[in-house]
Amino acid sequence: MILYPAIDLKGGECVRLLRGEMTAATVYNPDPASQAKAFQDSGCAWIHVVDLDGAFAGVAVNGVAVRSILSAVDVPVQLGGGIRSRAHIDTWLEAGISRVILGTVALRDPELVIAACRDHPGKIAVGIDARGGKVAVEGWAETSEITATDLALKFEDAGVAAIIFTDIDRDGALQGPNLDATGALARALSTPVIASGGVSSLDDLRAIAKLDKDGVAGAIVGRALYDGRVDVVGAVRALAGEAA
């Protein structure tokens, strides 16, 4: 199971939000590239990047910071936030992003996602962010009436590399991941699921690791790494099912 350390970009800086609120941002590193390099040097096999400003604007806003991250690391980088057209997808894949995460457009235009998966095998993930079980879009500013599972099932045969499932109510709150919802979603799908939101300890990661049998393939961790509640080496070991 893979650890995805999170780099959320706002105003060119590495921040963390509380439950998706842009007004509740804490700056952890003004240099995202150095943060990405630190994660790589600590043993991370992937980097998870989100353009928060882009998620609201619907276009890339922190492109300079993203490119600086790509220049700083050798490990693959997955990117989400404001990627809502085929041109956006192609531009980032050509720039060196290994996996593009599609969120809002997955709800608005599922056919675009399916076509992108066909043309870019293994390079498209779908980000499903849920509030009270319902999918939220536009930088989490709007909540739809469709459930996370129903949206995920639309892409079962599309060749999506992974479903990234975030429980918004847990995100950045350090209250533990929503294991029940994550496990239930993974069991309903054949597509691998990456857990996101709420991780606050190595015990949380060990609990997520037990969901591998259900189809959970990794976990995204943000605030807990920055606050020092979880160290990267320990997190990698916990997700691998290794003893402390």
Side-chain angles (χ1 to χ4, degrees):
M1 194 175 286
I2 297 171
L3 171 70
Y4 295 85
I7 295 180
D8 289 356
L9 300 171
K10 181 176 184 288
E13 298 179 313
C14 178
V15 308
R16 292 301 293 166
L17 304 184
L18 177 60
R19 301 186 180 92
E21 293 294 332
M22 289 289 272
T23 56
T26 302
V27 176
Y28 281 102
N29 193 329
D31 184 354
S34 70
Q35 185 63 63
K37 182 69 160 55
F39 283 142
Q40 173 184 276
D41 292 347
S42 295
C44 293
W46 276 81
I47 305 292
H48 172 81
V49 180
V50 177
D51 182 346
L52 294 173
D53 298 304
F56 283 91
V59 294
V61 175
N62 288 285
V64 172
V66 174
R67 285 180 169 82
S68 74
I69 290 170
L70 288 171
S71 296
V73 299
D74 300 314
V75 296
V77 176
Q78 62 181 23
L79 172 69
I83 305 173
R84 297 183 192 164
S85 72
R86 184 54 183 267
H88 292 163
I89 295 167
D90 293 345
T91 294
W92 280 121
L93 292 176
E94 289 167 6
I97 290 295
S98 296
R99 185 187 290 160
V100 167
I101 305 165
L102 303 178
T104 295
V105 75
L107 180 69
R108 305 274 195 242
D109 188 1
E111 290 304 317
L112 185 151
V113 178
I114 292 168
C117 289
R118 181 183 63 240
D119 296 337
H120 299 292
K123 293 184 176 296
I124 307 297
V126 169
I128 297 182
D129 307 327
R131 181 182 285 115
K134 301 293 182 68
V135 176
V137 294
E138 305 290 348
W140 300 352
E142 299 178 21
T143 303
S144 72
E145 288 303 310
I146 189 170
T147 68
T149 301
D150 286 345
L151 180 58
L153 286 170
K154 290 186 177 184
F155 305 107
E156 265 290 80
D157 300 318
V160 171
I163 298 291
I164 298 173
F165 175 66
T166 303
D167 184 320
I168 295 170
D169 294 327
R170 305 291 183 101
D171 192 67
L174 298 171
Q175 295 176 347
N178 190 332
L179 297 170
D180 290 342
T182 303
L185 178 63
R187 289 191 295 274
L189 306 173
S190 60
T191 306
V193 171
I194 297 172
S196 175
V199 170
S200 63
S201 67
L202 290 178
D203 284 342
D204 287 339
L205 291 172
R206 293 185 187 105
I208 291 173
K210 293 178 181 177
L211 298 177
D212 62 342
K213 64 183 184 300
D214 296 322
V216 176
I220 294 168
V221 184
R223 186 179 292 270
L225 291 174
Y226 294 105
D227 283 351
R229 295 167 185 258
V230 173
D231 72 279
V232 173
V233 174
V236 170
R237 290 172 59 87
L239 284 176
E242 299 177 16

